[in-house]
Amino acid sequence: MQAQEPVTARTPATPLVLHDPYFSVWSFNDALTDGPTRHWTGTHQQMSGLVRIDGKTFRFLGDDRDTTALKQVSRAIWPTRTIYDFEDAGIHLTLTFFTPALPQDLDILSRPVTYVSWDVRSTDGQPHNVSVYFDATAQLATNTDDDTVVWGRERVGDMQALRIGTNAQPVLAKSGDNLRIDWGWFYLAVPPQPGTETAASNWEAREQFAKGGSLPTTDDLDMPAAVKHGQPLLAVRFDLGSVGSATVSRRVLLAYDDRFSIEYLNRKLRAYWRRNGMTTAEMLEKAESEESSLRTKAETFDKELVTDLTQQGGSHYAQLATLAFRQTIAAHKLVTDVDGKPMLFSKENFSNGCIDTVDVTYPSAPFFLLLNPKLLQAQLDPMLEYASLPRWRWPFAPHDLGQYPLANGQVYGGGERTEEDQMPVEESGNLIILTNALAHAQGSAAFAEKYWPVLTKWAEYLKEKGLDPENQLSTDDFAGHLPHNTNLSIKAIDALGSYAQLAEMLGKKQEAAEYRKLAQQMAAKWKEMAVDGDHYKLAFDQQGSWSQKYNLVWDRVLGLHLFSPQIVDQEMAFYLKHQNEFGLPLDNRKTYTKLDWIVWTATLSDKQSDFIALTDPLYKYMTESPTRVPLSDWFETTDGRQVGFQARSVVGGVYMKMLADPAMWKKWASMGK
């Protein structure tokens, strides 16, 4: 694959409409006609597409087996676009899902709009009579099929807009992991185009178009309508007329207005795009007016990013990072606090549903450090604000802010009550390192200065507990508690070195010197304590053990230079001898691994051959995993099967390689606004 090429290889799932943890629709199949579209959780959120060509109906989206599938000839994934091509019955149809998820522009990034477009032309030199049908069901606005919905129709500028949502509207009423949204409104907005009809109906509209090419002449959806009875839906039909060799195009906008998005410390917060009082109608009008310019901007962005990814890590790496792009963003929600400050909240998808989990922010951080550091600051701000409150009484950092979408205080482990199942060294180290990485990206430690008291408290904790951690949980907690964890010790040492760098930037010379010396001394001791012949141990007291030392990557990326280069050389040689078919195991205890950590481990080496050798098995996993779900970060290295987790933001960790090149990091980080 050359630079500026999309992902055309088979992937575990394909992103279609991705915005946030609730508005996230995928195809879990190779062909778009082989199954229903789904929420990232796997629950059906069906969209359907039909095309009539000279009186015969084909389907290009959905799995209605009563209709012949249009032949799919290709599928391409770019960072912001997914493009399907079909060719059959004398026509070529290109279906594009375009989400302008441009990290440098927070207004655009937070706008919950995906453009769906069709481009149709004749391929046999003959004109063909063509009409296109598309619908989206009420499943996109409901948690389960037991929910009931109501619908409405409105004019938005010169657009027709249909909306659907639950009649109960329980705004922010529940939290949890395997949930879909059951409040707010899903919109199908249709710009003025020739031959357009719309309808609020049910599955009979689809059947009517398939049989005769028409829609119901009036909206025939009773209210309230049960989702499980008749499948309520919003539909549009385009009569393209006689289509020849010239391309005929149509498009719609899919949008979601959730009204309120997140509750933070008992404050109900709205999406970022609403911060100046913008209404849904104004947002849709703006989205439509900017469609052409956004498409041009996104195409340029896609090509430049893919080119740079390929340059840094090779074509297989670039494809992995491309697939991770929209997934990383869509596991978050961007809102504003009451003072207009942006806040970005992650959801721990198919783990425990926690919100703003520190050891989820940590692995995903390279994506944001590269593409807009303000977005990392927007994740750290709410956590550090919470940790600074008297209610957080521990000498170490919190783990989370609650359970999505309610960020009202830690729920994991002992929460605010006890030290049970806390992650003291893990989360304290994470937050100090990330604050330092943010300062590097922004060229200023002003953010660190704001929260200096808590950062100092955590540095003091790591000074006492970090070198040889007690029996604590780490982010790899699925393997259980592990005392004397050498990789966790590296994190603590990197964090103390980071604290010293921050102190230096803030003119705190004495603190900087003290903590720099401390980190150097601890790193020297670490080498003596961890060495085990030709490699370094998993735990200081476990001879014959080993693990990925992925936390060591910050020593290179942040220029800490605390650890001997010999450690990387020895570890890398050892890793290359212990890979399985689908990657390097996390450690000697199990054969499973973590996708993000492998890329961090591969980035330890400055040899491109080492990086490719360690990451090529990840491409094999991406293209051959038998588990068909949005990219899972936790899988078996023996057969590529998912162990757990899916659609998580941590896949943004694959962008770590880009941070290892200071010029590349500076180029992209400076684009944010």
Side-chain angles (χ1 to χ4, degrees):
M1 178 177 124
Q2 301 301 312
Q4 296 189 10
E5 289 192 7
V7 180
T8 55
R10 174 260 199 201
T11 56
T14 300
L16 302 178
V17 183
L18 272 68
H19 291 275
D20 60 47
Y22 288 135
F23 196 24
S24 179
V25 188
W26 299 70
S27 168
F28 284 31
N29 305 91
D30 293 333
L32 201 51
T33 52
D34 282 353
T37 54
R38 301 170 183 265
H39 186 254
W40 66 261
T41 56
T43 298
H44 290 191
Q45 289 197 327
Q46 295 183 68
M47 301 184 294
S48 295
L50 305 173
V51 57
R52 279 178 65 85
I53 307 166
D54 300 325
K56 184 176 181 181
T57 304
F58 300 83
R59 76 177 189 280
F60 58 83
L61 172 61
D63 64 344
D64 182 356
R65 303 296 172 175
D66 293 334
T67 309
T68 303
L70 202 62
K71 183 181 177 183
Q72 182 177 310
V73 294
S74 69
R75 183 231 54 194
I77 302 171
W78 291 94
T80 67
R81 294 168 291 147
T82 298
I83 305 167
Y84 287 91
D85 283 287
F86 304 86
E87 203 160 280
D88 212 344
I91 66 110
H92 186 105
L93 184 152
T94 299
L95 169 64
T96 302
F97 293 89
F98 166 45
T99 303
L102 300 170
Q104 298 94 344
D105 190 324
L106 301 191
D107 281 304
I108 301 300
L109 181 68
S110 72
R111 189 182 293 167
V113 174
T114 288
Y115 304 90
V116 182
S117 61
W118 298 266
D119 298 291
V120 185
R121 58 180 170 81
S122 171
T123 58
D124 60 5
Q126 302 297 316
H128 296 278
N129 189 44
V130 179
S131 56
V132 172
Y133 168 95
F134 171 82
D135 73 47
T137 68
Q139 291 172 328
L140 275 79
T142 53
N143 181 34
T144 73
D145 283 356
D146 289 327
D147 290 334
T148 55
V149 296
V150 293
W151 62 272
R153 176 187 286 275
E154 57 193 86
R155 297 292 299 182
V156 176
D158 56 3
M159 288 190 288
Q160 301 180 58
L162 284 77
R163 66 174 186 169
I164 198 163
T166 62
N167 54 319
Q169 289 293 306
V171 179
L172 295 170
K174 60 175 70 75
S175 66
D177 193 8
N178 192 1
L179 294 175
R180 275 71 41 201
I181 197 166
D182 57 4
W183 75 89
W185 302 95
F186 170 75
Y187 278 83
L188 171 65
V190 186
Q193 296 158 99
T196 301
E197 295 177 332
T198 59
S201 188
N202 56 28
W203 64 270
E204 291 179 348
R206 195 181 303 156
E207 189 175 81
Q208 183 174 324
F209 178 87
K211 288 180 178 177
S214 64
L215 285 187
T217 54
T218 58
D219 296 318
D220 57 358
L221 182 59
D222 293 331
M223 293 192 284
V227 176
K228 61 186 176 186
H229 296 145
Q231 203 174 69
L233 53 80
L234 307 178
V236 60
R237 168 188 178 271
F238 297 111
D239 185 350
L240 308 187
S242 182
V243 176
S245 58
T247 298
V248 179
S249 302
R250 297 289 186 270
R251 70 174 181 276
V252 298
L253 287 69
L254 306 183
Y256 208 102
D257 172 20
D258 59 8
R259 299 164 60 202
F260 287 96
S261 307
I262 297 291
E263 185 171 298
Y264 173 60
L265 301 181
N266 302 114
R267 307 194 291 270
K268 287 183 169 60
L269 306 182
R270 295 187 184 272
Y272 184 85
W273 63 267
R274 282 188 177 276
R275 73 192 187 288
N276 293 322
M278 181 179 280
T279 65
T280 310
E282 289 168 341
M283 180 269 292
L284 288 170
E285 282 191 88
K286 194 166 181 60
E288 168 56 16
S289 70
E290 294 177 352
E291 184 269 342
S292 178
S293 62
L294 286 175
R295 193 176 294 271
T296 300
K297 189 181 295 185
E299 288 173 1
T300 300
F301 171 87
D302 286 349
K303 289 177 180 178
E304 186 173 2
L305 182 58
V306 171
T307 297
D308 285 353
L309 289 165
T310 306
Q311 176 194 322
Q312 291 294 307
S315 63
H316 287 173
Y317 166 70
Q319 292 182 67
L320 182 67
T322 296
L323 182 61
F325 183 90
R326 269 175 284 166
Q327 176 172 318
T328 301
I329 291 170
H332 297 82
K333 186 68 179 185
L334 182 61
V335 301
T336 44
D337 202 356
V338 290
D339 59 358
K341 178 173 62 180
M343 289 184 164
L344 184 65
F345 291 93
S346 63
K347 180 177 183 294
E348 206 171 331
N349 291 344
F350 268 17
S351 176
N352 57 19
C354 278
I355 187 169
D356 207 23
T357 302
V358 174
D359 56 294
V360 167
T361 301
Y362 179 70
S364 70
F367 180 93
F368 301 103
L369 283 166
L370 179 76
L371 295 170
N372 191 346
K374 286 181 181 177
L375 288 167
L376 177 59
Q377 181 174 322
Q379 293 174 72
L380 297 178
D381 230 335
M383 176 54 72
L384 289 169
E385 180 180 316
Y386 168 68
S388 301
L389 296 174
R391 62 188 279 191
W392 184 256
R393 55 197 176 93
W394 309 112
F396 48 78
H399 166 273
D400 64 82
L401 281 176
Q403 191 174 51
Y404 195 93
L406 306 180
N408 292 324
Q410 180 171 318
V411 296
Y412 186 80
E416 297 176 0
R417 304 177 308 282
T418 73
E419 292 191 55
E420 179 187 0
D421 284 344
Q422 300 278 6
M423 296 188 185
V425 172
E426 174 74 47
E427 309 301 27
S428 301
N430 288 342
L431 287 171
I432 294 173
I433 290 169
L434 292 183
T435 302
N436 187 33
L438 180 65
H440 274 65
Q442 295 181 329
S444 166
F447 180 78
E449 188 170 28
K450 179 181 176 184
Y451 294 111
W452 196 248
V454 290
L455 296 174
T456 299
K457 180 168 64 175
W458 299 336
E460 290 170 351
Y461 180 87
L462 295 177
K463 177 180 178 180
E464 180 185 350
K465 303 283 192 179
L467 176 60
D468 189 4
E470 300 165 347
N471 190 21
Q472 295 186 359
L473 283 175
S474 70
T475 187
D476 305 319
D477 56 3
F478 32 81
H481 288 69
L482 178 70
H484 318 299
N485 185 329
T486 61
N487 189 44
L488 190 58
S489 175
I490 290 171
K491 178 172 290 183
I493 297 167
D494 280 347
L496 292 170
S498 287
Y499 182 81
Q501 285 188 337
L502 289 167
E504 183 72 31
M505 293 178 76
L506 292 172
K508 301 176 186 293
K509 302 295 184 184
Q510 185 175 337
E511 276 181 274
E514 175 191 338
Y515 276 89
R516 174 72 186 170
K517 184 178 179 181
L518 173 65
Q520 288 172 329
Q521 291 171 342
M522 290 172 70
K525 287 180 184 176
W526 185 95
K527 186 179 179 183
E528 293 174 11
M529 295 163 62
V531 69
D532 191 9
D534 63 349
H535 68 283
Y536 295 82
K537 291 175 277 193
L538 161 69
F540 291 122
D541 62 342
Q542 292 186 19
Q543 207 74 18
S545 65
W546 64 272
S547 65
Q548 291 188 44
K549 308 300 189 295
Y550 57 82
N551 285 322
L552 198 57
V553 73
W554 297 109
D555 198 54
R556 176 186 178 188
V557 168
L558 297 177
L560 297 169
H561 305 306
L562 296 169
F563 291 87
S564 165
Q566 180 190 5
I567 296 172
V568 169
D569 294 340
Q570 286 182 280
E571 285 289 281
M572 197 59 59
F574 186 86
Y575 298 150
L576 292 172
K577 295 174 187 173
H578 288 78
Q579 291 198 97
N580 290 326
E581 187 177 1
F582 291 91
L584 178 68
L586 195 57
D587 56 52
N588 61 273
R589 292 175 293 179
K590 301 282 186 179
T591 54
Y592 56 56
T593 195
K594 288 286 270 78
L595 180 149
D596 42 345
W597 298 151
I598 286 183
V599 177
W600 288 32
T601 296
T603 305
L604 291 175
S605 176
D606 56 8
K607 296 176 185 174
Q608 187 77 333
S609 58
D610 289 345
F611 181 84
I612 290 175
L614 282 172
T615 55
D616 261 2
L618 296 179
Y619 178 79
K620 182 178 177 65
Y621 160 66
M622 182 183 86
T623 56
E624 298 181 20
S625 171
T627 312
R628 306 308 300 267
V629 299
L631 199 58
S632 171
D633 54 288
W634 182 21
F635 61 92
E636 271 292 344
T637 60
T638 54
D639 58 13
R641 291 184 183 276
Q642 173 193 32
V643 176
F645 309 152
Q646 65 198 48
R648 297 211 307 166
S649 63
V650 303
V651 297
V654 304
Y655 283 77
M656 179 62 86
K657 175 64 172 170
M658 300 283 275
L659 304 187
D661 180 339
M664 186 64 72
W665 186 1
K666 184 176 181 180
K667 168 192 168 179
W668 284 94
S670 64
M671 294 182 189
K673 61 179 180 180

PDB file of all heavy atoms in Angstrom, residues 468-473 480-486 488 538-542 589:
ATOM      1  N   ASP A 468       9.110   0.021  44.539  1.00  0.00           N
ATOM      2  CA  ASP A 468       8.739  -1.389  44.680  1.00  0.00           C
ATOM      3  C   ASP A 468       7.294  -1.450  45.159  1.00  0.00           C
ATOM      4  O   ASP A 468       7.018  -1.608  46.345  1.00  0.00           O
ATOM      5  CB  ASP A 468       9.673  -2.070  45.683  1.00  0.00           C
ATOM      6  CG  ASP A 468       9.486  -3.583  45.708  1.00  0.00           C
ATOM      7  OD1 ASP A 468       8.688  -4.102  44.905  1.00  0.00           O
ATOM      8  OD2 ASP A 468      10.134  -4.232  46.552  1.00  0.00           O
ATOM      9  N   PRO A 469       6.338  -1.305  44.223  1.00  0.00           N
ATOM     10  CA  PRO A 469       4.930  -1.164  44.612  1.00  0.00           C
ATOM     11  C   PRO A 469       4.415  -2.343  45.429  1.00  0.00           C
ATOM     12  O   PRO A 469       4.814  -3.493  45.217  1.00  0.00           O
ATOM     13  CB  PRO A 469       4.206  -1.066  43.262  1.00  0.00           C
ATOM     14  CG  PRO A 469       5.246  -0.597  42.299  1.00  0.00           C
ATOM     15  CD  PRO A 469       6.523  -1.210  42.769  1.00  0.00           C
ATOM     16  N   GLU A 470       3.513  -2.017  46.343  1.00  0.00           N
ATOM     17  CA  GLU A 470       2.877  -3.039  47.165  1.00  0.00           C
ATOM     18  C   GLU A 470       1.914  -3.866  46.314  1.00  0.00           C
ATOM     19  O   GLU A 470       1.873  -3.718  45.092  1.00  0.00           O
ATOM     20  CB  GLU A 470       2.125  -2.355  48.315  1.00  0.00           C
ATOM     21  CG  GLU A 470       3.029  -1.537  49.222  1.00  0.00           C
ATOM     22  CD  GLU A 470       2.250  -0.580  50.111  1.00  0.00           C
ATOM     23  OE1 GLU A 470       1.049  -0.369  49.850  1.00  0.00           O
ATOM     24  OE2 GLU A 470       2.857  -0.035  51.055  1.00  0.00           O
ATOM     25  N   ASN A 471       1.128  -4.698  46.961  1.00  0.00           N
ATOM     26  CA  ASN A 471       0.172  -5.558  46.263  1.00  0.00           C
ATOM     27  C   ASN A 471      -1.014  -4.717  45.777  1.00  0.00           C
ATOM     28  O   ASN A 471      -2.058  -4.654  46.416  1.00  0.00           O
ATOM     29  CB  ASN A 471      -0.306  -6.660  47.202  1.00  0.00           C
ATOM     30  CG  ASN A 471      -1.101  -7.727  46.466  1.00  0.00           C
ATOM     31  OD1 ASN A 471      -0.982  -7.876  45.253  1.00  0.00           O
ATOM     32  ND2 ASN A 471      -1.905  -8.475  47.195  1.00  0.00           N
ATOM     33  N   GLN A 472      -0.806  -4.042  44.642  1.00  0.00           N
ATOM     34  CA  GLN A 472      -1.805  -3.103  44.114  1.00  0.00           C
ATOM     35  C   GLN A 472      -2.307  -3.543  42.747  1.00  0.00           C
ATOM     36  O   GLN A 472      -1.630  -4.271  42.022  1.00  0.00           O
ATOM     37  CB  GLN A 472      -1.188  -1.710  43.968  1.00  0.00           C
ATOM     38  CG  GLN A 472      -0.784  -1.051  45.261  1.00  0.00           C
ATOM     39  CD  GLN A 472      -0.325   0.390  45.031  1.00  0.00           C
ATOM     40  OE1 GLN A 472      -0.293   0.892  43.910  1.00  0.00           O
ATOM     41  NE2 GLN A 472       0.030   1.055  46.124  1.00  0.00           N
ATOM     42  N   LEU A 473      -3.484  -3.040  42.409  1.00  0.00           N
ATOM     43  CA  LEU A 473      -3.989  -3.195  41.050  1.00  0.00           C
ATOM     44  C   LEU A 473      -3.246  -2.244  40.124  1.00  0.00           C
ATOM     45  O   LEU A 473      -2.847  -1.149  40.524  1.00  0.00           O
ATOM     46  CB  LEU A 473      -5.480  -2.869  40.989  1.00  0.00           C
ATOM     47  CG  LEU A 473      -6.457  -3.932  41.508  1.00  0.00           C
ATOM     48  CD1 LEU A 473      -7.866  -3.380  41.488  1.00  0.00           C
ATOM     49  CD2 LEU A 473      -6.381  -5.205  40.685  1.00  0.00           C
ATOM     50  N   GLY A 480      -5.265  -9.585  37.778  1.00  0.00           N
ATOM     51  CA  GLY A 480      -5.294  -9.560  39.233  1.00  0.00           C
ATOM     52  C   GLY A 480      -4.218  -8.678  39.846  1.00  0.00           C
ATOM     53  O   GLY A 480      -3.418  -8.059  39.161  1.00  0.00           O
ATOM     54  N   HIS A 481      -4.234  -8.627  41.180  1.00  0.00           N
ATOM     55  CA  HIS A 481      -3.227  -7.862  41.919  1.00  0.00           C
ATOM     56  C   HIS A 481      -1.845  -8.470  41.675  1.00  0.00           C
ATOM     57  O   HIS A 481      -1.702  -9.675  41.507  1.00  0.00           O
ATOM     58  CB  HIS A 481      -3.525  -7.898  43.420  1.00  0.00           C
ATOM     59  CG  HIS A 481      -4.714  -7.093  43.833  1.00  0.00           C
ATOM     60  ND1 HIS A 481      -5.993  -7.437  43.506  1.00  0.00           N
ATOM     61  CD2 HIS A 481      -4.807  -5.944  44.567  1.00  0.00           C
ATOM     62  CE1 HIS A 481      -6.842  -6.554  44.021  1.00  0.00           C
ATOM     63  NE2 HIS A 481      -6.149  -5.636  44.667  1.00  0.00           N
ATOM     64  N   LEU A 482      -0.841  -7.605  41.675  1.00  0.00           N
ATOM     65  CA  LEU A 482       0.529  -8.097  41.517  1.00  0.00           C
ATOM     66  C   LEU A 482       1.474  -7.213  42.323  1.00  0.00           C
ATOM     67  O   LEU A 482       1.682  -6.048  41.982  1.00  0.00           O
ATOM     68  CB  LEU A 482       0.949  -8.080  40.042  1.00  0.00           C
ATOM     69  CG  LEU A 482       2.382  -8.533  39.760  1.00  0.00           C
ATOM     70  CD1 LEU A 482       2.526 -10.033  40.010  1.00  0.00           C
ATOM     71  CD2 LEU A 482       2.784  -8.190  38.320  1.00  0.00           C
ATOM     72  N   PRO A 483       2.053  -7.751  43.412  1.00  0.00           N
ATOM     73  CA  PRO A 483       3.049  -6.960  44.149  1.00  0.00           C
ATOM     74  C   PRO A 483       4.373  -6.919  43.392  1.00  0.00           C
ATOM     75  O   PRO A 483       4.664  -7.791  42.575  1.00  0.00           O
ATOM     76  CB  PRO A 483       3.183  -7.721  45.470  1.00  0.00           C
ATOM     77  CG  PRO A 483       2.800  -9.131  45.151  1.00  0.00           C
ATOM     78  CD  PRO A 483       1.777  -9.052  44.041  1.00  0.00           C
ATOM     79  N   HIS A 484       5.155  -5.889  43.646  1.00  0.00           N
ATOM     80  CA  HIS A 484       6.522  -5.763  43.103  1.00  0.00           C
ATOM     81  C   HIS A 484       6.540  -5.717  41.568  1.00  0.00           C
ATOM     82  O   HIS A 484       7.473  -6.209  40.928  1.00  0.00           O
ATOM     83  CB  HIS A 484       7.408  -6.910  43.611  1.00  0.00           C
ATOM     84  CG  HIS A 484       7.214  -7.224  45.063  1.00  0.00           C
ATOM     85  ND1 HIS A 484       7.467  -6.302  46.061  1.00  0.00           N
ATOM     86  CD2 HIS A 484       6.756  -8.356  45.683  1.00  0.00           C
ATOM     87  CE1 HIS A 484       7.196  -6.862  47.247  1.00  0.00           C
ATOM     88  NE2 HIS A 484       6.763  -8.084  47.041  1.00  0.00           N
ATOM     89  N   ASN A 485       5.530  -5.099  40.973  1.00  0.00           N
ATOM     90  CA  ASN A 485       5.357  -5.023  39.519  1.00  0.00           C
ATOM     91  C   ASN A 485       6.417  -4.095  38.908  1.00  0.00           C
ATOM     92  O   ASN A 485       6.420  -2.890  39.165  1.00  0.00           O
ATOM     93  CB  ASN A 485       3.938  -4.511  39.225  1.00  0.00           C
ATOM     94  CG  ASN A 485       3.578  -4.498  37.764  1.00  0.00           C
ATOM     95  OD1 ASN A 485       4.424  -4.305  36.900  1.00  0.00           O
ATOM     96  ND2 ASN A 485       2.300  -4.692  37.480  1.00  0.00           N
ATOM     97  N   THR A 486       7.295  -4.653  38.080  1.00  0.00           N
ATOM     98  CA  THR A 486       8.405  -3.851  37.539  1.00  0.00           C
ATOM     99  C   THR A 486       7.937  -2.793  36.547  1.00  0.00           C
ATOM    100  O   THR A 486       8.504  -1.703  36.485  1.00  0.00           O
ATOM    101  CB  THR A 486       9.443  -4.756  36.851  1.00  0.00           C
ATOM    102  OG1 THR A 486       8.833  -5.457  35.760  1.00  0.00           O
ATOM    103  CG2 THR A 486      10.031  -5.760  37.826  1.00  0.00           C
ATOM    104  N   LEU A 488       5.004  -1.287  36.595  1.00  0.00           N
ATOM    105  CA  LEU A 488       4.360  -0.248  37.402  1.00  0.00           C
ATOM    106  C   LEU A 488       5.419   0.630  38.070  1.00  0.00           C
ATOM    107  O   LEU A 488       5.248   1.852  38.198  1.00  0.00           O
ATOM    108  CB  LEU A 488       3.459  -0.898  38.456  1.00  0.00           C
ATOM    109  CG  LEU A 488       2.511   0.017  39.237  1.00  0.00           C
ATOM    110  CD1 LEU A 488       1.580   0.770  38.297  1.00  0.00           C
ATOM    111  CD2 LEU A 488       1.704  -0.795  40.253  1.00  0.00           C
ATOM    112  N   LEU A 538       8.957  -9.615  35.325  1.00  0.00           N
ATOM    113  CA  LEU A 538       7.582  -9.131  35.490  1.00  0.00           C
ATOM    114  C   LEU A 538       7.414  -8.504  36.876  1.00  0.00           C
ATOM    115  O   LEU A 538       6.807  -7.444  37.023  1.00  0.00           O
ATOM    116  CB  LEU A 538       6.597 -10.296  35.323  1.00  0.00           C
ATOM    117  CG  LEU A 538       5.168 -10.133  35.875  1.00  0.00           C
ATOM    118  CD1 LEU A 538       4.401  -9.104  35.069  1.00  0.00           C
ATOM    119  CD2 LEU A 538       4.438 -11.473  35.871  1.00  0.00           C
ATOM    120  N   ALA A 539       7.936  -9.177  37.882  1.00  0.00           N
ATOM    121  CA  ALA A 539       7.890  -8.698  39.266  1.00  0.00           C
ATOM    122  C   ALA A 539       9.275  -8.900  39.866  1.00  0.00           C
ATOM    123  O   ALA A 539       9.961  -9.876  39.563  1.00  0.00           O
ATOM    124  CB  ALA A 539       6.840  -9.450  40.060  1.00  0.00           C
ATOM    125  N   PHE A 540       9.659  -7.982  40.725  1.00  0.00           N
ATOM    126  CA  PHE A 540      11.018  -8.027  41.271  1.00  0.00           C
ATOM    127  C   PHE A 540      11.336  -9.351  41.964  1.00  0.00           C
ATOM    128  O   PHE A 540      12.486  -9.784  41.986  1.00  0.00           O
ATOM    129  CB  PHE A 540      11.217  -6.878  42.272  1.00  0.00           C
ATOM    130  CG  PHE A 540      11.240  -5.514  41.632  1.00  0.00           C
ATOM    131  CD1 PHE A 540      10.335  -4.532  42.015  1.00  0.00           C
ATOM    132  CD2 PHE A 540      12.176  -5.196  40.648  1.00  0.00           C
ATOM    133  CE1 PHE A 540      10.354  -3.273  41.440  1.00  0.00           C
ATOM    134  CE2 PHE A 540      12.203  -3.936  40.067  1.00  0.00           C
ATOM    135  CZ  PHE A 540      11.290  -2.971  40.457  1.00  0.00           C
ATOM    136  N   ASP A 541      10.321 -10.015  42.531  1.00  0.00           N
ATOM    137  CA  ASP A 541      10.557 -11.244  43.284  1.00  0.00           C
ATOM    138  C   ASP A 541      10.255 -12.511  42.489  1.00  0.00           C
ATOM    139  O   ASP A 541      10.174 -13.596  43.061  1.00  0.00           O
ATOM    140  CB  ASP A 541       9.719 -11.233  44.567  1.00  0.00           C
ATOM    141  CG  ASP A 541       8.218 -11.195  44.292  1.00  0.00           C
ATOM    142  OD1 ASP A 541       7.831 -10.841  43.155  1.00  0.00           O
ATOM    143  OD2 ASP A 541       7.432 -11.504  45.206  1.00  0.00           O
ATOM    144  N   GLN A 542      10.088 -12.375  41.151  1.00  0.00           N
ATOM    145  CA  GLN A 542       9.743 -13.546  40.333  1.00  0.00           C
ATOM    146  C   GLN A 542      10.824 -13.830  39.298  1.00  0.00           C
ATOM    147  O   GLN A 542      10.805 -13.302  38.185  1.00  0.00           O
ATOM    148  CB  GLN A 542       8.389 -13.334  39.639  1.00  0.00           C
ATOM    149  CG  GLN A 542       7.212 -13.300  40.598  1.00  0.00           C
ATOM    150  CD  GLN A 542       5.871 -13.240  39.885  1.00  0.00           C
ATOM    151  OE1 GLN A 542       5.759 -13.567  38.697  1.00  0.00           O
ATOM    152  NE2 GLN A 542       4.835 -12.821  40.606  1.00  0.00           N
ATOM    153  N   ARG A 589       2.384 -14.773  32.143  1.00  0.00           N
ATOM    154  CA  ARG A 589       1.300 -15.469  32.835  1.00  0.00           C
ATOM    155  C   ARG A 589       0.233 -16.012  31.897  1.00  0.00           C
ATOM    156  O   ARG A 589      -0.365 -17.045  32.163  1.00  0.00           O
ATOM    157  CB  ARG A 589       0.654 -14.524  33.862  1.00  0.00           C
ATOM    158  CG  ARG A 589       1.554 -14.164  35.030  1.00  0.00           C
ATOM    159  CD  ARG A 589       0.903 -13.130  35.948  1.00  0.00           C
ATOM    160  NE  ARG A 589       0.744 -11.836  35.300  1.00  0.00           N
ATOM    161  CZ  ARG A 589       0.186 -10.772  35.873  1.00  0.00           C
ATOM    162  NH1 ARG A 589      -0.296 -10.874  37.103  1.00  0.00           N
ATOM    163  NH2 ARG A 589       0.097  -9.618  35.238  1.00  0.00           N
TER     164      ARG A 589
END
